[in-house]
DNA sequence: CCTTGAGTTGAAGTGTGCTTCAACTCCGAG
DNA sequence: CTCGGAGTTGAAGCACACTTCAACTCAAGG
């Protein structure tokens, strides 16, 4: 036990992420695996950290595509250090702060509206395009230009 | 101008919601419309408020299905009063509080991890199943039992 | 050697929240 | 009456994040 590499089942068990999801992540280039002679995946233990980062990032509200970009910015030659991971986490922190701030604003506005009961589209600060709070939703939103968006 | 009812184009323009989305909402039972002799939709002005509520609720992170349930709880006979709307908004407020709280916790944990750079699945408070912070994501998640979840 | 559980692939399905399309009708101005 | 913009429908498409399936191979114990 405790060998150098992990099978997909082991990585799945340890990370709590379904094997099918891990294969999906690999297709998207988020994680990598060596192959045995029989074409089975063998994961380096450092991949555990990548998977952890992926799941945490998703909780922050980052798309897999953006997570991939972030992971691509890790040093390619050497194994990432704690500092490398910390730098990535820090960039998410700003997003998280912004999300928390906007939700707080929404709550305050909602409180105001609970007071007045208006829910008026024009009057209310609540319904304010250009503020574009939550572009978290899924789905095809090709109509929205989304040019004035937040930080890169 | 300023007639009793609105066409779908007018409601779309006033609410900032695409006409196709309004038809979709109607299919889901979130809004309603009378019909002219020629089968065109005519919206009562109170529908504006429903649309506003829908969009605000989405920002809070509520699914259309749940929004529908909430809207169904409005008094059916009379036109909803400001108090009726306020009651609905208030129920979302608790969700919003919870979301903000969880995101705050995630941020604190992330700060801790920026310090230690660990991102370890087991050690870290960050990666903690049972906490199940963000079930906001889309997609088919049939695998997750999700029984121990939060408040109703 | 045989069996069995774990792994492999590509293709298709799921759920949410819409948009887009084609083909058609309605309605008001001129 | 004619024209064009606005409206109608159902069906299909899109984007994301996966899961599920079928059909197959691998690997390790008995």
């Amino acid at each position: 036990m405790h060998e150098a590499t992990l099978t997909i089942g082991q990585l799945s068990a340890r990370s709590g992420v379904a094997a099918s999801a891990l294969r999906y992540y690999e297709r998207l280039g988020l994680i990598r695996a060596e192959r045995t002679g029989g074409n089975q995946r063998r994961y380096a233990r450092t991949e555990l950290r990548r998977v952890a980062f992926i799941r945490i990032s998703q909780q922050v509200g980052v798309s897999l595509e953006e997570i991939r970009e972030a992971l691509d910015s890790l040093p390619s030659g050497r194994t990432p250090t704690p500092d490398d991971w910390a730098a990535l986490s820090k960039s998410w922190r700003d997003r998280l702060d912004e999300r928390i701030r906007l939700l707080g604003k929404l709550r305050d506005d909602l409180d105001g509206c609970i007071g007045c009961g208006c829910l008026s589209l024009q009057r209310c600060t609540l319904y304010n395009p250009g503020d574009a709070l939550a572009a978290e939703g899924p789905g095809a939103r090709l109509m929205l230009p989304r040019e004035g968006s937040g930080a890169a």
Side-chain angles (χ1 to χ4, degrees), chain A residues 19-86:
Chain A
S20 61
L22 294 175
R23 292 196 198 94
Y24 178 66
Y25 292 164
E26 184 175 334
R27 280 227 318 273
L28 298 190
L30 279 84
I31 58 178
R32 263 175 304 170
E34 305 291 306
R35 295 300 180 116
T36 67
N39 198 36
Q40 296 199 350
R41 291 172 181 82
R42 287 299 180 272
Y43 295 95
R45 306 190 74 81
T46 57
E47 295 302 303
L48 263 169
R49 213 160 266 208
R50 288 177 83 96
V51 174
F53 179 75
I54 291 165
R55 298 305 260 201
I56 291 165
S57 303
Q58 285 188 304
Q59 292 185 20
V60 177
V62 183
S63 71
L64 291 181
E65 169 59 19
E66 283 184 289
I67 296 170
R68 191 190 57 72
E69 287 167 20
L71 286 171
D72 281 354
S73 78
L74 282 173
S76 52
R78 58 187 169 78
T79 300
T81 66
D83 276 357
D84 292 327
W85 289 114

Side-chain angles (χ1 to χ4, degrees), chain A residues 58-118:
Chain A
Q58 285 188 304
Q59 292 185 20
V60 177
V62 183
S63 71
L64 291 181
E65 169 59 19
E66 283 184 289
I67 296 170
R68 191 190 57 72
E69 287 167 20
L71 286 171
D72 281 354
S73 78
L74 282 173
S76 52
R78 58 187 169 78
T79 300
T81 66
D83 276 357
D84 292 327
W85 289 114
L88 285 195
S89 305
K90 197 161 183 307
S91 73
W92 283 181
R93 212 217 117 124
D94 293 342
R95 279 172 170 264
L96 202 42
D97 282 341
E98 180 64 4
R99 257 162 67 85
I100 290 171
R101 192 186 70 74
L102 287 171
L103 284 179
K105 180 175 179 331
L106 179 60
R107 179 178 58 188
D108 293 345
D109 292 346
L110 199 53
D111 280 353
C113 277
I114 288 173
C116 74
C118 63

